Amino acid sequence: QSTNIDYVLRNLNVEQLIICGQATDQAVESACRNAADRGYLVTIPKDACFAQSGNDHVKGLHGMSGFSRQLSSNDVLRELRPF
């Protein structure tokens, strides 16, 4: 375990995470799987992630499909608006 982020999130009663970033098929997928393994509900805004190629991006999204729900950024923002 390299950071105490899980400890911090649990103390803040966080249950859901929105994960995005570069390297969809590497860093984003790894963070998604790690979070899901720890019991978090993960949302991936598909258009807020990037990979070296479109093929790598699609491969990463496919690899996360069983561990997350995948929405557009606009759909994520729509869900967050009431808060």
Side-chain angles (χ1 to χ4, degrees):
Q1 188 171 357
S2 58
T3 72
N4 68 342
I5 189 68
D6 185 49
Y7 175 78
V8 171
L9 293 173
R10 298 235 182 254
N11 281 312
L12 293 170
N13 296 314
V14 171
E15 297 176 351
Q16 300 180 43
L17 298 175
I18 299 168
I19 300 174
C20 58
Q22 294 185 10
T24 311
D25 58 324
Q26 296 173 28
V28 178
E29 185 176 353
S30 177
C32 171
R33 288 172 178 259
N34 193 336
D37 286 349
R38 294 174 184 269
Y40 293 99
L41 302 173
V42 179
T43 298
I44 304 293
K46 299 184 287 190
D47 55 345
C49 298
F50 174 79
Q52 287 291 92
S53 70
N55 200 29
D56 288 346
H57 178 70
V58 170
K59 182 177 76 172
L61 292 174
H62 180 72
M64 293 182 280
S65 63
F67 301 92
S68 66
R69 63 187 192 128
Q70 300 174 12
L71 305 172
S72 71
S73 310
N74 285 333
D75 288 340
V76 171
L77 291 173
R78 248 188 299 284
E79 286 186 0
L80 293 174
R81 281 202 179 102
F83 301 103

